[in-house]
Amino acid sequence: MSNREEAEIQISELDLLSSMFPYEEEFIVTDQLAVAELKHYVENQSAEVPSSKVQFILNVKAEVPDASMVEFSMCCALPFTYPAVLPEITVRSPLLSRSQQIHLNSDLKTYLMQNCSGEPCMLSAREWVKDHGVAYIDRELSSSSVTTSDAMQSEDIVFTRLWIYSHHIYNKQKRKNIIDWAKELSLSGFCMPGKPGVVCVEGLQSSCEEFWSRIRRLTWKRILIRHREDVSLEGGGRDEIQKQRKFSTLEEKCFDAHGARGNHMDLGQLYHFLEEKGCADIFQMYFGVEGH
């Protein structure tokens, strides 16, 4: 199977998932730019292999024995040669302990290796999680009498860093919102206004997702998460979160603005700023070229 055929299969599967799960609480693509690159490649308009994996989240609700519902979140990434290789899937739930989560994800991978090798398998993976996910919660609940609240307390803290791309950021109110909301949610990072606009926020996963939920509701010509980093901090508290931060607070950064409207930033200075923060690899993800 050629790379282009594999890319076509990925697009077809994404279209199928979109039609079956039209609501964002069920299915959401977290990197629209990667999808656009993939489509561009398939349409023979580009010989260049896409630089990013298509990433999306599938949320699955399953019923537990007491008739309540539990939700599993499947964070998925498709390697460029998928389905020749397996997708990268991490299943999470507030009710899964660290050991349960590892066990579930290991068994899911084994199932996919045995049953779906070389074939599109996202629907099969989703069905498997829906049918079997609850059992991983039940096992530990029945063996150690862990209560729901205990299970939630044992959930790992996840530190997240979101790299957001916007076609442009000019509006003063939006720029104020970015800074105010980051402060409210205890997020650090930076915002580079102008064209293009770059926003990085880091902190607790729930806070980053709340920030993204607010930002994307505003009116934009184009905005998307260009890259996402998640780090699980086992039993980590405030000190562990602080150690993960690359930025001390969230501030607006302007790098020698130029252009007719003074809205184009010096990307060379942006690269050096990212390099100082240990994030130089992000530059190529944003702009498709290596910085210098």
Side-chain angles (χ1 to χ4, degrees):
M1 189 182 297
S2 71
N3 285 347
R4 212 170 294 277
E5 287 172 324
E6 289 162 345
E8 286 174 350
I9 288 172
Q10 290 189 31
I11 290 171
S12 295
E13 191 165 25
L14 288 170
D15 288 343
L16 177 62
L17 292 171
S18 295
S19 63
M20 291 182 68
F21 311 110
Y23 302 109
E24 284 191 357
E25 59 265 27
E26 299 174 302
F27 169 68
I28 183 167
V29 175
T30 54
D31 190 344
Q32 293 286 355
L33 193 55
V35 176
E37 286 181 350
L38 193 68
K39 289 182 177 178
H40 190 68
Y41 175 77
V42 166
E43 291 163 359
N44 294 313
Q45 296 176 10
S46 172
E48 188 177 338
V49 173
S51 59
S52 301
K53 299 173 185 175
V54 171
Q55 299 183 57
F56 55 90
I57 296 171
L58 276 168
N59 291 317
V60 186
K61 289 184 178 177
E63 192 172 316
V64 292
D66 66 1
S68 62
M69 300 296 288
V70 59
E71 184 168 293
F72 296 94
S73 181
M74 299 171 61
C75 299
C76 311
L78 303 183
F80 183 61
T81 53
Y82 170 85
V85 299
L86 290 176
E88 298 166 10
I89 303 175
T90 301
V91 183
R92 298 189 178 98
S93 170
L95 298 184
L96 285 172
S97 69
R98 177 68 173 167
S99 60
Q100 291 169 330
Q101 182 177 312
I102 291 171
H103 194 180
L104 187 159
N105 282 292
S106 175
D107 287 354
L108 171 60
K109 187 172 183 179
T110 300
Y111 166 78
L112 294 176
M113 288 174 66
Q114 293 174 347
N115 296 277
C116 304
S117 187
E119 298 292 332
C121 61
M122 292 314 308
L123 284 177
S124 297
R126 185 185 183 280
E127 284 305 304
W128 188 92
V129 171
K130 186 174 183 178
D131 293 342
H132 298 91
V134 170
Y136 292 82
I137 299 170
D138 288 344
R139 281 176 201 171
E140 203 159 303
L141 288 175
S142 58
S143 63
S144 59
S145 300
V146 177
T147 65
T148 298
S149 60
D150 289 335
M152 292 186 75
Q153 286 170 12
S154 71
E155 182 194 4
D156 290 338
I157 292 175
V158 178
F159 179 88
T160 294
R161 185 175 297 111
L162 299 181
W163 295 92
I164 298 168
Y165 170 92
S166 173
H167 179 271
H168 63 263
I169 303 175
Y170 300 142
N171 185 280
K172 288 182 179 178
Q173 184 58 51
K174 287 179 183 174
R175 290 159 65 176
K176 184 176 185 299
N177 287 341
I178 288 168
I179 292 170
D180 290 348
W181 290 342
K183 185 176 180 180
E184 175 194 336
L185 296 166
S186 300
L187 299 176
S188 49
F190 74 96
C191 168
M192 184 186 83
K195 182 181 180 181
V198 174
V199 179
C200 171
V201 290
E202 58 179 12
L204 281 175
Q205 184 180 66
S206 57
S207 298
C208 286
E209 289 178 348
E210 172 63 22
F211 178 87
W212 172 240
S213 175
R214 296 183 191 182
I215 286 294
R216 65 198 303 267
R217 287 195 197 109
L218 303 177
T219 303
W220 303 91
K221 182 170 182 178
R222 186 184 193 195
I223 194 166
L224 53 93
I225 296 175
R226 193 69 189 86
H227 181 60
R228 175 181 182 135
E229 302 168 53
D230 290 303
V231 180
S232 183
L233 308 176
E234 293 187 44
R238 179 179 173 81
D239 290 345
E240 276 300 310
I241 292 171
Q242 293 305 112
K243 285 180 189 175
Q244 293 293 330
R245 292 186 191 273
K246 294 185 183 290
F247 307 91
S248 56
T249 183
L250 189 136
E251 58 181 334
E252 191 169 272
K253 302 293 291 186
C254 296
F255 302 102
D256 284 354
H258 61 280
R261 295 173 57 183
N263 56 15
H264 292 271
M265 298 296 165
D266 185 321
L267 297 184
Q269 289 187 32
L270 170 63
Y271 173 77
H272 290 300
F273 171 72
L274 293 174
E275 192 175 38
E276 287 171 6
K277 299 294 184 180
C279 309
D281 56 322
I282 294 297
F283 190 88
Q284 187 168 13
M285 293 184 188
Y286 267 103
F287 304 109
V289 294
E290 293 186 8
H292 55 80

